[in-house]
Amino acid sequence: AETVSMRLMRGWLALATDDLAAARHALEEAARAGVRAGSYNFACLAYAHLARAEYHAGAWDDALVHIERAAAIAADFKGLAARSWVPWIRAMIGVVRRDASMLAALEAEVRAAPAVLTGHRAAAAIARGLVHVSRGDHEAALAAMAPVAGPEAPAALSEPGFWPWQSIYAASLLALGRLDELEDFAARH
């Protein structure tokens, strides 16, 4: 039988390659199986990425339901590493829904999430960048995304299927009129 982690990885890979139907199916299976098995870190991560898949499919209400499920699991189990992904996906949903209260609450949520691993820092950087862009503060968005965009950032964070921060960064450079930097950035990404 396929393990929860294998379902989760299958779903995340499908999401990274824009196979949204396969991603949604695998991530929903992983989330439910994770809850049944008491594997709450995997369940939280699966619900978060399921919300991201629903977001990309344009099913924003479903995305909100799934990210709230992930948030509820994270709230019940404070030590989960997967809770770092919740603010990022909430920020995506908050921006498209123009939900100012959701976006305002994210600052504290990002600060409270673990920032131990590279993925944690990347998720927090993307969440902060989205919040700043939603406020029109593009300088702050660029600064917030330094952990993923800066010269010290691991090369793995440049894969847009897994870490989709490039359009946020490019839009901020464009909004600030920093066209030479945008051209250099576009050539690298």
Side-chain angles (χ1 to χ4, degrees):
E2 190 174 48
T3 66
V4 175
S5 62
M6 289 171 61
R7 288 178 184 156
L8 173 61
M9 288 301 112
R10 188 168 37 89
W12 199 10
L13 286 170
L15 180 57
T17 58
D18 291 326
D19 186 350
L20 297 181
R24 290 159 96 180
H25 179 73
L27 292 166
E28 188 164 12
E29 282 184 348
R32 288 182 181 162
V35 170
R36 277 193 312 272
S39 188
Y40 297 110
N41 198 55
F42 287 134
C44 181
L45 192 54
Y47 275 126
H49 286 301
L50 178 55
R52 198 171 136 223
E54 297 289 10
Y55 167 90
H56 287 296
W60 298 337
D61 290 340
D62 291 338
L64 184 59
V65 167
H66 295 307
I67 200 59
E68 292 307 326
R69 286 179 180 154
I73 293 169
D76 287 345
F77 301 95
K78 300 270 189 237
L80 295 182
R83 71 188 294 219
S84 299
W85 274 260
V86 173
W88 164 26
I89 312 305
R90 269 194 173 156
M92 291 171 58
I93 297 165
V95 167
V96 297
R97 293 175 63 100
R98 297 177 188 218
D99 187 331
S101 62
M102 179 187 283
L103 293 168
L106 285 172
E107 289 294 326
E109 193 174 342
V110 170
R111 279 192 301 278
V116 178
L117 303 174
T118 300
H120 299 158
R121 290 188 296 277
I126 296 168
R128 285 186 183 106
L130 283 164
V131 170
H132 291 305
V133 166
S134 75
R135 296 177 182 154
D137 190 348
H138 296 283
E139 285 289 351
L142 293 176
M145 290 190 291
V148 293
E152 303 297 315
L157 296 179
S158 291
E159 174 50 55
F162 292 103
W163 302 106
W165 57 269
Q166 296 82 355
S167 62
I168 305 162
Y169 196 86
S172 291
L173 289 173
L174 181 62
L176 293 168
R178 292 163 58 174
L179 302 182
D180 290 340
E181 287 177 70
L182 177 58
E183 188 174 320
D184 291 342
F185 176 77
R188 286 182 282 131
H189 298 282

